[in-house]
C-alpha cells in the first residue's frame, strides 16, 4: 500500500514546471506539492505567487513535508539542500547529475545512516529508465558493457554537422538558439555532463564509485571539417575488461551505419547494454525536456510512495573491480601537419596517414595512458575519434 507524500519542491524551471503539470494529471500517485522554493522573486511564472517561497528552510524545517524534490541548476546549493533533507529524515528525489557525481560517497553514507531513500532516475538520460533497470535487472556478474549517447546537446550538434553539413559553429549556435545548449556550452561540448552521467552509470552497472577527475573525458569542441564527413557520436563508455578492471571514458566515437547508435539523432539519447547471456539490449528516448524529464521524476516519486530505495548491492560485491588504466585503442587522430613527427612516437602502430599543408591525421593504435598524455599536453591543438577499443 502506498503512503501519502507531501512534497517540498526546489526549483520551478523547465523540469519543475513539467513536474507540476504531470503530477496534477496523475491519478495514481498520492502526492501533493505543499511548498515551492525558488531563487528569483520577480520572475514571471504560470501559477500564482502564493505557491512560492524564497528560504530553503521553509521546506527543510517543515515537519509535514516528507519528500524533497530538488530540481535546481546550482550543484553546490543542491548538495546542501539534499544533505540537510536526508539528515532531517526526508526522502529526496533529484535530477542533478553533477551534484550526485561530485558528492556520491557522502550521499551514499547519508542514505545508510538516516535510512531514507534518495532517487535520481532523471539525472541520467531523462525519460529513459536506465538506472532502475541497472539496479534491479542486470546482475554485475553477467553485465559486460554499457555505452550510451547521454547528452542531447552534443548529439544535436553532431547530427546537424553530419546530416545537414553545418559547421560546428553553426550547429552550436542553432542548439543555443533552441535552448539545447547553454550560452557557455563547454559542460556539454567538453564531455563533462556526459562524464557525470557515466559516473552514476558506473555505480549502478559495476558498483564502482569514482571522483570526476578519475574518469577521462574528451569532448567534441575540437572536431573539424575532416570529422564532419563521418558519423560520430559522443559516447559514455564502460566495459568490463576482466574480473578486476572496467574501462571507462567519454569520447567521440565513429559509428557505422549498421550500428543502432546511428539511428539516435537530434536531442534523443540511447543506451546499449550488453550481458554475457542476453547479448545486447537497447534503450531509446528523450534525454531532456520538460515533460520527459518530469516523467522520470514522477516515477521516482511513485516509487518512494511504495518505500522503494536503491540497494546498491553491486557496491558491496565489487571490491576487486577498479578502473582500467592501460589498454590499447584504435583512433583517428587529427593534428596540424607541421606537428606530425611530434605525435608519431605516441602510437604503437600507424595504419593510415594523410596530410596536406594545414592538417594531417593518423589512424592507428595508441595506449590509453599515451592518449591521456597527448590530450593533457595538446588538448587545444588536436582531436581524436575512437574507432574501437582493442
Amino acid at each position: 500500500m502506498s503512503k501519502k507524500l507531501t512534497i517540498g519542491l526546489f526549483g520551478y524551471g523547465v523540469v519543475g514546471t513539467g513536474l507540476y503539470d504531470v503530477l496534477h494529471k496523475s491519478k495514481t500517485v498520492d502526492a501533493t506539492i505543499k511548498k515551492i522554493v525558488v531563487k528569483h522573486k520577480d520572475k514571471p511564472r504560470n501559477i500564482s505567487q502564493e505557491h512560492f517561497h524564497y528560504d530553503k528552510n521553509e521546506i527543510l524545517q517543515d515537519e509535514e513535508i516528507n519528500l524533497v524534490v530538488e530540481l535546481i541548476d546550482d550543484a553546490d546549493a543542491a548538495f546542501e539542500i539534499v544533505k540537510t533533507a536526508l539528515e532531517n529524515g526526508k526522502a529526496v528525489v533529484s535530477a542533478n547529475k553533477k551534484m550526485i557525481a561530485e558528492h556520491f560517497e557522502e550521499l551514499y553514507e547519508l542514505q545508510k545512516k538516516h535510512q531514507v531513500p534518495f532517487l535520481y532516475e532523471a539525472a541520467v538520460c531523462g525519460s529513459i529508465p536506465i538506472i532502475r533497470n541497472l539496479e534491479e535487472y542486470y546482475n554485475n556478474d553477467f553485465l559486460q558493457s554499457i555505452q550510451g549517447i547521454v547528452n542531447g546537446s552534443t548529439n544535436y550538434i553532431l547530427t546537424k554537422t553530419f546530416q545537414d553539413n553545418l559547421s560546428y559553429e553553426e550547429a552550436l549556435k542553432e542548439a543555443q538558439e533552441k535552448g539545447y545548449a547553454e550560452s557557455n556550452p563547454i559542460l556539454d561540448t567538453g564531455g563533462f555532463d556526459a562524464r557525470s552521467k557515466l559516473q552514476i552509470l558506473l555505480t549502478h552497472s559495476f558498483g564502482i564509485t569514482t571522483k570526476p577527475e578519475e574518469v577521462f573525458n574528451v569532448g567534441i569542441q575540437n572536431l573539424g571539417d575532416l570529422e564532419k564527413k563521418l558519423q560520430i557520436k559522443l559516447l559514455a563508455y564502460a566495459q568490463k575488461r576482466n574480473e578486476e578492471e572496467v574501462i571507462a571514458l567519454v569520447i567521440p566515437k565513429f559509428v557505422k551505419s549498421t550500428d543502432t547508435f546511428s539511428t539516435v539523432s537530434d536531442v534523443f539519447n540511447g543506451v546499449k547494454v550488453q550481458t554475457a547471456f542476453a547479448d545486447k539490449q537497447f534503450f531509446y528516448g528523450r534525454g531532456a525536456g520538460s515533460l520527459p524529464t518530469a516523467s522520470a521524476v514522477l516515477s521516482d516519486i511513485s516509487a518512494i510512495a511504495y518505500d522503494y530505495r536503491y540497494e546498491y548491492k553491486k557496491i558491496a560485491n565489487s571490491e576487486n573491480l577498479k578502473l582500467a588504466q592501460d589498454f590499447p585503442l584504435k583512433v583517428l587522430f587529427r593534428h596540424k601537419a607541421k606537428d606530425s613527427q611530434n605525435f608519431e612516437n605516441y602510437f604503437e602502430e600507424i595504419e593510415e596517414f594523410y596530410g596536406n599543408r594545414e592538417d594531417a591525421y593518423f589512424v592507428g593504435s595508441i595506449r590509453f595512458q599515451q592518449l591521456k598524455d597527448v590530450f593533457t599536453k595538446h588538448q587545444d591543438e588536436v582531436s581524436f575519434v575512437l574507432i574501437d577499443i582493442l
Side-chain angles (χ1 to χ4, degrees), residues 4-22:
K4 169 74 174 177
L5 295 176
T6 303
I7 297 172
L9 172 62
F10 283 92
Y12 197 72
V14 172
V15 181
T17 54
L19 176 64
Y20 191 89
D21 188 19
V22 298

Side-chain angles (χ1 to χ4, degrees), residues 138-152:
Y138 293 102
N139 187 297
N140 186 41
D141 292 340
F142 305 132
L143 186 63
Q144 294 181 327
S145 70
I146 178 168
Q147 50 186 307
I149 298 168
V150 299
N151 181 274

Side-chain angles (χ1 to χ4, degrees), residues 177-342:
E177 289 171 349
K178 292 191 174 185
Y180 300 148
E182 301 294 337
S183 56
N184 180 12
I186 193 63
L187 287 178
D188 292 321
T189 59
F192 297 99
D193 175 81
R195 182 182 70 181
S196 294
K197 294 170 180 174
L198 177 58
Q199 287 181 256
I200 296 170
L201 291 174
L202 278 168
T203 299
H204 292 278
S205 300
F206 299 106
I208 297 176
T209 60
T210 57
K211 298 187 183 305
E213 62 271 15
E214 294 173 335
V215 179
F216 180 64
N217 62 292
V218 183
I220 65 168
Q221 70 272 31
N222 287 352
L223 298 181
D225 289 340
L226 171 68
E227 295 91 329
K228 190 169 69 173
K229 300 172 184 176
L230 308 173
Q231 185 161 23
I232 294 168
K233 300 294 184 182
L234 184 69
L235 289 189
Y237 190 98
Q239 176 187 327
K240 196 172 182 181
R241 186 162 178 79
N242 51 47
E243 293 306 309
E244 297 180 351
E245 293 183 319
V246 172
I247 294 168
L249 68 163
V250 173
I251 193 168
K253 186 177 188 297
F254 169 63
V255 175
K256 296 179 180 178
S257 60
T258 54
D259 192 312
T260 318
F261 283 129
S262 70
T263 65
V264 182
S265 58
D266 208 80
V267 292
F268 281 80
N269 284 187
V271 180
K272 187 186 300 180
V273 177
Q274 183 163 4
T275 70
F277 300 119
D279 200 17
K280 296 185 179 84
Q281 294 172 317
F282 192 74
F283 298 81
Y284 172 83
R286 289 191 177 275
S290 177
L291 297 181
T293 307
S295 72
V297 175
L298 183 64
S299 176
D300 279 346
I301 292 171
S302 178
I304 284 177
Y306 288 91
D307 291 320
Y308 175 81
R309 66 186 63 192
Y310 301 137
E311 294 185 62
Y312 298 108
K313 296 174 189 174
K314 293 173 185 175
I315 292 179
N317 297 329
S318 64
E319 294 178 358
N320 296 326
L321 276 179
K322 59 185 179 182
L323 293 186
Q325 297 300 319
D326 193 30
F327 51 91
L329 311 93
K330 184 177 180 180
V331 299
L332 183 151
F333 179 85
R334 184 176 58 79
H335 54 282
K336 295 297 182 185
K338 63 183 178 60
D339 297 325
S340 289
Q341 288 186 328
N342 298 336

Side-chain angles (χ1 to χ4, degrees), residues 192 217-218 221-222 343 372-384:
F192 297 99
N217 62 292
V218 183
Q221 70 272 31
N222 287 352
F343 294 122
K372 288 204 296 184
D373 189 33
V374 172
F375 183 70
T376 300
K377 294 177 180 176
H378 307 282
Q379 58 182 293
D380 295 327
E381 308 161 35
V382 301
S383 72
F384 36 83

Side-chain angles (χ1 to χ4, degrees), residues 349-384:
E349 181 183 0
I350 295 174
E351 297 179 11
E352 186 179 342
F353 172 80
Y354 168 83
N356 56 34
R357 289 184 178 180
E358 294 293 327
D359 292 315
Y361 71 78
F362 299 130
V363 172
S365 58
I366 186 172
R367 306 295 300 187
F368 180 53
Q369 285 295 338
Q370 296 287 75
L371 187 72
K372 288 204 296 184
D373 189 33
V374 172
F375 183 70
T376 300
K377 294 177 180 176
H378 307 282
Q379 58 182 293
D380 295 327
E381 308 161 35
V382 301
S383 72
F384 36 83

